[in-house]
Amino acid sequence: MTAHLTPEVRGLLSADALGWLDKPPLDPFIDGNWRTARSDTHIEVVDPGTGTPVTSYTAASAGDVADAVAAARAAFDDGRWSELDPETREEKLRHLADLLAADAETVAQLEALDTGKTLAEARLDIDEAVAVLRYYAGWATKVEGSVIPAPRRYMATGTREAIGVCAAITPWNYPLPILMYKLAPALAFGNTFVAKPSEQTVLSTAYLAQLCAAAGIPDGVVNVAPGAGATGAALTATPGIDKIAFTGSTRTGQAVMRAAADTLTKVSLELGGKSPQLVFADADLDAAIAGVMAGIWTNAGQVCIAGSRLIVDRRIHDEFVAELADRTRRLSLGHGLAPTTTLGPLISSTQRDRVNALIEQAAQDGAHVETAAELPDRDGYFIAPTIVTGARPGQSIEREEVFGPVLTVLPFDTEDEAVRLANDSAYGLASAVWSQNASRVHRVARRLRAGTVWANTYGVFHPTLPFGGVKASGFGRELGSDAVEHYTELKTTVIDL
Ligand code: ADP
């Protein structure tokens, strides 16, 4: 089927991306083949920058999901992947990374089209996915076991083995990096895999499945079941999965965990956030403004780590907010693929309406709502970057994860009050402290209840840096060496000498 692109968007895509969109492989990918989905749920792939459906696919049914899990199970049980020499797995994963790197521009364009994010952001996403894959490819040969000091008559060892079938349920904001945080360590340690991408962003996952086949990853090791919540729910209910890694909303994470209780499947959950950025008067204010902007306007605020609560020293509050608003006015809203765009649309009309409702509620609750930057005069799901001042702690705009370009500002008078406001949230994903006083940075960092604290920077991700949350932001860490624990089982072997 030829993609239905507007002339503008057609002109912004490369011949390779257009060629791929002519016949995108969006069927379920099971045991190395694309199989016609056995369901009558058809889902449109919509370009958020124009609001037009680009193409469509049929969602994987519960039966398709069961087939995908069975394929992954069989591939695990016969050892076609887990029993390869680790260096062979490393080689194949590096080959996959090289193929992805070679097609990075095409995948970035497809990701920008699918998510609405700017092409510059999409390029960083694909680079990150490649880096994460290379990092974990190296881990395949690095995991060691231990000799355990059991009583002398025994020889006891602890060895790390693959868990089995790992499933991933991923969201629409960073489709490929978030998939890679799960797929790369799972495969490196010998597990097999079933991916359920967000129904709204299936393109890059489909592209990766093709590359897995091209890289010589054996059939059945990576399987993809595209679809919406029903497909995800079917996956969590299917027996034969050993671990589910979920990234998404707190509410869906709770549903995944409940379903996993029935099958006694391990889960890791990376959920929502309402991350505070604490700006003290002794900060480098220029850098802090840049960091606050990056923290909230990146990906149009649709980021689990969005620094959506600015907590700023009252003495600099007005000046800081004025400068922030000034610089925000220079952002240029438009289609993600257009080279001049610095802020793209939201993913869907539903998300745009939800964010607008939260902004309206904030105004009704008596907060001051300032719209910085112009809405573009075009179709698409745009929200102007919005700064909310004068909100009371506890108001919905200050509590709820907005997942849009909306920054709530709260003033503080003392360090204690700043920390108290920061921790007064159901979430605990990320946080930041801006101060040039090193003692203060350490003191505050120690007291912030969050999985990550950035100091004098924001949003630094790297394959070596563990990432995850506390409280309603979930549990388990992705990235870094922690993945060894999350994607392997420890086996104790005791030999009577
Ligand atoms: P959002 O749409 O805000 O990202 P969700 O948490 O609903 O938040 O979506 C994250 C992922 O979870 C998506 O892939 C979605 O399809 C999937 N999903 C939605 N509902 C369920 C469910 N009941 N069980 C499993 N996965 C689900």
Side-chain angles (χ1 to χ4, degrees):
M1 184 219 281
T2 304
H4 303 288
L5 300 162
T6 60
E8 174 206 16
V9 173
R10 193 166 280 280
L12 291 167
L13 288 166
S14 66
D16 285 344
L18 287 169
W20 192 86
L21 283 167
D22 265 350
K23 215 175 171 305
L26 304 181
D27 291 327
F29 179 66
I30 300 172
D31 207 17
N33 295 298
W34 284 270
R35 301 214 192 142
T36 306
R38 287 173 287 149
S39 88
D40 44 24
T41 305
H42 305 289
I43 300 179
E44 286 177 334
V45 173
V46 177
D47 170 2
T50 60
T52 38
V54 169
T55 182
S56 68
Y57 65 95
T58 306
S61 64
D64 297 321
V65 166
D67 287 352
V69 173
R73 188 79 255 161
F76 184 75
D77 290 346
D78 72 13
R80 75 186 82 161
W81 182 248
S82 62
E83 290 181 21
L84 290 179
D85 284 333
E87 49 269 49
T88 308
R89 281 204 305 273
E90 170 171 2
E91 218 169 85
K92 288 191 186 295
L93 293 177
R94 288 199 186 279
H95 186 191
L96 177 62
D98 291 345
L99 293 180
L100 182 57
D103 286 2
E105 180 59 21
T106 306
V107 184
Q109 291 192 8
L110 295 169
E111 197 81 306
L113 174 70
D114 207 5
T115 59
K117 67 177 65 196
T118 65
L119 184 55
E121 289 171 310
R123 285 179 177 139
L124 293 175
D125 283 11
I126 311 311
D127 289 352
E128 187 192 2
V130 170
V132 168
L133 185 51
R134 290 197 169 128
Y135 170 77
Y136 282 115
W139 264 106
T141 54
K142 308 296 182 294
V143 178
E144 297 185 348
S146 61
V147 175
I148 301 167
R152 288 276 306 156
R153 67 175 282 187
Y154 302 109
M155 165 76 174
T157 59
T159 46
R160 289 269 165 200
E161 298 186 344
I163 304 175
V165 176
C166 297
I169 299 177
T170 50
W172 42 259
N173 56 346
Y174 288 89
L176 199 63
I178 290 176
L179 174 65
M180 203 57 91
Y181 297 173
K182 301 163 173 48
L183 181 138
L187 263 52
F189 301 131
N191 302 285
T192 59
F193 202 77
V194 180
K196 207 298 283 174
S198 164
E199 61 275 25
Q200 306 191 81
T201 52
V202 293
L203 301 188
S204 58
T205 304
Y207 203 105
L208 189 74
Q210 269 183 316
L211 295 182
C212 286
I217 309 254
D219 292 348
V221 172
V222 174
N223 306 273
V224 180
T231 303
L235 188 59
T236 57
T238 304
I241 299 172
D242 300 289
K243 181 207 159 90
I244 301 173
F246 172 82
T247 301
S249 63
T250 299
R251 199 145 56 116
T252 306
Q254 289 167 323
V256 168
M257 194 167 165
R258 259 181 230 117
D262 286 337
T263 48
L264 276 181
T265 306
K266 283 173 186 279
V267 286
S268 59
L269 303 173
E270 197 264 274
L271 307 175
K274 188 78 182 171
S275 299
Q277 292 231 45
L278 278 62
V279 178
F280 289 88
D282 57 15
D284 172 344
L285 296 182
D286 193 49
I289 290 170
V292 169
M293 289 187 55
I296 188 63
W297 310 139
T298 295
N299 218 33
Q302 304 163 105
V303 190
C304 48
I305 56 145
S308 51
R309 286 187 299 146
L310 168 60
I311 298 173
V312 57
D313 191 315
R314 191 182 303 277
R315 289 167 295 169
I316 57 166
H317 174 282
D318 293 356
E319 166 203 353
F320 193 91
V321 172
E323 176 64 20
L324 182 74
D326 249 17
R327 290 199 208 172
T328 299
R329 272 181 216 106
R330 288 175 226 153
L331 292 175
S332 166
L333 278 71
H335 196 284
L337 285 163
T340 48
T341 299
T342 48
L343 195 86
L346 300 199
I347 187 73
S348 63
S349 55
T350 311
Q351 186 62 13
R352 177 197 56 197
D353 296 347
R354 200 187 144 263
V355 172
N356 269 331
L358 279 162
I359 295 171
E360 274 162 31
Q361 185 63 49
Q364 277 170 26
D365 289 343
H368 175 74
V369 173
E370 179 176 359
T371 305
E374 296 290 309
L375 271 182
D377 181 18
R378 57 171 301 142
D379 290 336
Y381 311 129
F382 294 92
I383 295 259
T386 301
I387 300 172
V388 178
T389 48
R392 277 172 293 103
Q395 264 178 229
S396 58
I397 199 72
E398 194 271 328
R399 291 281 123 157
E400 286 185 37
E401 181 177 42
V402 176
F403 233 63
V406 180
L407 177 71
T408 304
V409 191
L410 296 175
F412 69 81
D413 290 303
T414 64
E415 188 179 297
D416 270 354
E417 188 189 7
V419 171
R420 191 174 49 70
L421 286 170
N423 287 337
D424 183 17
S425 166
Y427 296 106
L429 192 57
S431 58
V433 45
W434 294 86
S435 164
Q436 301 213 79
N437 176 333
S439 304
R440 190 201 297 281
V441 166
H442 283 287
R443 217 165 40 227
V444 171
R446 200 183 262 182
R447 294 175 68 192
L448 289 173
R449 289 204 62 207
T452 295
V453 180
W454 286 294
N456 298 322
T457 187
Y458 201 79
V460 178
F461 271 71
H462 189 266
T464 58
L465 296 171
F467 173 70
V470 300
K471 303 196 280 183
S473 296
F475 51 80
R477 295 289 176 269
E478 298 192 303
L479 301 174
S481 58
D482 252 51
V484 177
E485 197 180 309
H486 289 291
Y487 286 93
T488 62
E489 289 287 8
L490 179 62
K491 176 174 281 173
T492 307
T493 305
V494 183
I495 302 164
D496 193 330
L497 300 176

